[in-house]
Amino acid sequence: AQMYQPITMQGRYQTLALIRSIVSKDGERLYERHDPIETRFSEKAVKMLNSSLHEVTQSGTARSLRWRNPGGYFYGKTGTTNNLKDSWFVGFDANELVTTWVGKDSNKSTKLTGSSGALVLFSYYMKQKNKGK
């Protein structure tokens, strides 16, 4: 996820964190994250890369997102390791970056590709997140 994060922010990098801020029950801000943001890639380079990552969701290995999540506008990259041991997908929309992985602790084959395993989890998560919008 950290590798893809600058791609989602027009080339700007910020260390990922689970907690952005902590607010008391009275609304007082007790903590707020203040990590620096650095430019790592040009906006032009990111725009070209995002065009390719979007194309993956339209006609590439992640094209099932078109029917799994109708109306969604996604960018993504599938991945599969040798012997189908790992299935992964990194995907994002305008608001959120999500990394999904499917594998076995035994390191045996999952018999899943990135698009038949991890992408399905991403799709389900995005559907649940967007319910009621």
Side-chain angles (χ1 to χ4, degrees), residues 68-81:
R68 290 180 189 279
N69 300 71
Y73 195 94
F74 300 108
Y75 309 83
K77 175 70 178 93
T78 61
T80 309
T81 56

Side-chain angles (χ1 to χ4, degrees), residues 47-110:
K47 187 175 182 176
M48 289 175 18
L49 179 55
N50 280 342
S51 176
S52 296
L53 292 173
H54 178 64
E55 189 60 30
V56 169
T57 69
Q58 296 302 295
S59 61
T61 54
R63 66 186 173 275
S64 70
L65 285 174
R66 289 187 326 188
W67 61 266
R68 290 180 189 279
N69 300 71
Y73 195 94
F74 300 108
Y75 309 83
K77 175 70 178 93
T78 61
T80 309
T81 56
N82 293 345
N83 301 319
L84 304 174
K85 290 181 180 180
D86 298 283
S87 161
W88 60 269
F89 182 74
V90 178
F92 57 98
D93 62 10
N95 300 307
E96 190 166 10
L97 167 68
V98 178
T99 303
T100 53
W101 171 81
V102 178
K104 295 183 177 183
D105 290 339
S106 65
N107 205 29
K108 295 198 188 262
S109 177
T110 62

Side-chain angles (χ1 to χ4, degrees), residues 17-76:
L18 292 175
I19 299 174
R20 294 181 191 166
S21 65
I22 299 173
V23 180
S24 74
K25 67 179 180 177
D26 301 321
E28 177 187 356
R29 190 167 303 272
L30 303 172
Y31 166 81
E32 187 165 3
R33 178 179 163 205
H34 292 289
D35 292 338
I37 297 175
E38 308 165 15
T39 299
R40 295 274 175 103
F41 308 109
S42 72
E43 286 189 37
K44 182 179 178 182
V46 171
K47 187 175 182 176
M48 289 175 18
L49 179 55
N50 280 342
S51 176
S52 296
L53 292 173
H54 178 64
E55 189 60 30
V56 169
T57 69
Q58 296 302 295
S59 61
T61 54
R63 66 186 173 275
S64 70
L65 285 174
R66 289 187 326 188
W67 61 266
R68 290 180 189 279
N69 300 71
Y73 195 94
F74 300 108
Y75 309 83

Side-chain angles (χ1 to χ4, degrees), residues 65 68-69 87 89 98-103 112 114-128:
L65 285 174
R68 290 180 189 279
N69 300 71
S87 161
F89 182 74
V98 178
T99 303
T100 53
W101 171 81
V102 178
L112 298 169
S115 58
S116 67
L119 177 128
V120 176
L121 295 176
F122 170 85
S123 171
Y124 180 78
Y125 170 79
M126 296 305 268
K127 277 184 197 175
Q128 297 306 307

